[in-house]
Amino acid sequence: MLILAFAACKSKVVQYPVTYDNDRQKFMEFSQDRNKQILNEDNELIENYIDSLDLNFKKTSYGFWISNSGEITGSMAKSGDVVKYEYEISNFENEVIYTEEENGEQTIMMGRTDIPRGMQFALQMIEKGDSATVLLPSFLAFGGYGDRNKIMGNEPLIFKIKMHEIQKKSR
């Protein structure tokens, strides 16, 4: 037994982690190309939609379009402010996905609530008492998974938002 124990200890094999650098690189390139393709498709759909309307939209630095001036003022909501708003979500076939009645009036603290990123940015660009239509590419809406209910993955969306109240955080 002792001889077997010593023999077993003598020949330790060092195992190194297996790397798949080439496969990882290929996957990252594929993923980047796919995301660029989705964004191009979203942008083309949005631009065609804008061309079909009499409403003017401004493209923001965040990557979405908004029907108001898109200018941020000091009276608009910032992170930490509490806002009350209503919204409706539609697709680009003008089918309403969620109505204002379904969503109800929302009260959230900016930057502390789990809402789509594009919605978060858009709420910071709407004055109290004002409304705006926001055209979001899918990466700023519900992304690749959708909402796992009525919104499909990689679906660009139209948000119609009415800002009721902005309670500024005491700074």
Side-chain angles (χ1 to χ4, degrees), residues 6-123:
F6 284 121
C9 292
K10 197 176 198 182
S11 60
K12 288 188 178 179
V13 177
V14 178
Q15 292 186 339
Y16 296 99
V18 178
T19 59
Y20 300 98
D21 288 335
N22 197 25
D23 290 340
R24 179 185 292 170
Q25 182 67 26
K26 285 179 185 177
F27 174 77
M28 292 303 288
E29 288 172 8
F30 171 79
S31 181
Q32 289 171 350
D33 291 343
R34 177 70 180 126
N35 287 332
K36 286 177 188 175
Q37 178 187 359
I38 291 169
L39 181 60
N40 288 336
E41 290 169 3
D42 288 356
N43 286 340
E44 185 178 332
L45 182 67
I46 290 169
E47 288 169 6
N48 289 338
Y49 180 80
I50 291 170
D51 290 343
S52 73
L53 299 176
D54 288 335
L55 194 56
N56 290 324
F57 286 87
K58 180 177 181 192
K59 186 170 184 180
T60 67
S61 60
Y62 298 109
F64 65 87
W65 289 256
I66 191 163
S67 66
N68 67 10
S69 69
E71 301 297 321
I72 298 175
T73 66
S75 63
M76 293 178 175
K78 293 180 178 61
S79 185
D81 294 344
V82 175
V83 297
K84 287 185 182 180
Y85 64 96
E86 291 180 315
Y87 69 103
E88 172 183 283
I89 302 176
S90 304
N91 62 23
F92 281 87
E93 284 84 43
N94 286 318
E95 299 167 337
V96 176
I97 300 172
Y98 290 108
T99 66
E100 284 184 10
E101 292 77 28
E102 282 179 278
N103 295 324
E105 185 177 71
Q106 302 287 311
T107 302
I108 65 163
M109 181 178 283
M110 297 295 293
R112 309 275 193 304
T113 307
D114 186 24
I115 60 174
R117 218 172 9 160
M119 178 83 151
Q120 184 83 245
F121 296 140
L123 288 170

